[in-house]
Amino acid sequence: MIKTKEALIPYLLLVAALVGGLLWHASETVPGLGRTITTGTANVGGPFTLTDQDGKKRSLSDFRGKYVLIYFGYSFCPDVCPTTLGVVAQALDDLGADASRIVPVFITIDPERDTPSVLKTYMAAFGPRFVGLTGSPKDIAAVEKAYRVYAKKSPIKGGGYGVDHSSVLYLMGPDGRLVSFYDELIPPKDLAKDLKAKI
Ligand code: NI
């Protein structure tokens, strides 16, 4: 999987979408290649109800009062997803006690393969904090749309498929609204620092 295809282009598309939505908001500055962008009133995100790695229904509203750090990916992803989840795990470790105010959530973009039991094994590799979510292809498609996620299956030589996808961390506030987002290239200590400033 080509990193720029998986990560950079969809990220720039998301930035473009956000910039488009923010043009009227004159006080915002949106750095095209910045590590973080404070989006203010951008209309990204929204409620969802999916199934976690224990088979329980979980909604964004279940986490009200906490910050939720959402990442979309898939467990078969060979490189970017595990790297990014590792960054999140490290950043939360670095935050110490403040980490209890943030729930890291992984939402699969490959619901056909990422069943709750597959996610249970996968999430466990990143520590006990992570909530892994899956659902019907229709439910997942609706969440992808709300969060402006780019995800497209691509066949792998020799059989099977990968999923090219945007690689963005969304920080949702205790009220369920988008606070900030980060690209997956952010170093753990920078992510920890910015999370500490925002929560
Ligand atoms: Ni991935």
Side-chain angles (χ1 to χ4, degrees), residues 1 6 71-74 77-82 163 165:
M1 196 170 297
E6 162 148 350
Y71 185 70
F72 291 84
Y74 67 117
C77 180
D79 40 33
V80 176
C81 290
V163 187
H165 65 96

Side-chain angles (χ1 to χ4, degrees), residues 6-187:
E6 162 148 350
L8 184 60
I9 293 172
Y11 178 70
L12 293 176
L13 287 175
L14 177 69
V15 169
L18 290 168
V19 171
L22 288 170
L23 280 178
W24 57 273
H25 198 111
S27 64
E28 293 282 354
T29 54
V30 181
L33 290 169
R35 286 282 189 253
T36 72
I37 294 171
T38 300
T39 52
T41 55
N43 187 24
V44 173
F48 55 76
T49 300
L50 296 168
T51 303
D52 76 9
Q53 68 265 51
D54 294 315
K56 281 192 296 190
K57 291 281 180 200
R58 302 293 283 269
S59 300
L60 182 60
S61 57
D62 295 345
F63 307 113
R64 283 289 152 87
K66 294 204 176 196
Y67 288 81
V68 181
L69 191 59
I70 301 176
Y71 185 70
F72 291 84
Y74 67 117
S75 71
F76 289 79
C77 180
D79 40 33
V80 176
C81 290
T83 302
T84 307
L85 293 173
V87 166
V88 171
Q90 182 63 55
L92 293 177
D93 282 350
D94 291 352
L95 273 176
D98 286 335
S100 64
R101 299 176 59 201
I102 303 172
V103 182
V105 171
F106 177 79
I107 300 179
T108 185
I109 51 161
D110 185 13
E112 290 94 337
R113 290 187 295 192
D114 282 340
T115 60
S117 66
V118 168
L119 285 182
K120 192 165 177 80
T121 305
Y122 187 65
M123 300 328 302
F126 302 98
R129 292 191 180 98
F130 282 84
V131 175
L133 298 177
T134 187
S136 70
K138 192 176 158 217
D139 289 345
I140 293 293
V143 181
E144 286 174 3
K145 192 174 174 206
Y147 287 76
R148 318 267 178 100
V149 172
Y150 168 85
K152 194 171 190 306
K153 278 187 192 177
S154 66
I156 293 172
K157 210 170 145 188
Y161 63 90
V163 187
D164 294 329
H165 65 96
S166 49
S167 186
V168 175
L169 288 161
Y170 302 80
L171 180 65
M172 311 306 288
D175 59 358
R177 289 173 189 269
L178 181 70
V179 173
S180 189
F181 69 88
Y182 310 92
D183 76 59
E184 93 290 351
L185 299 174
I186 191 165

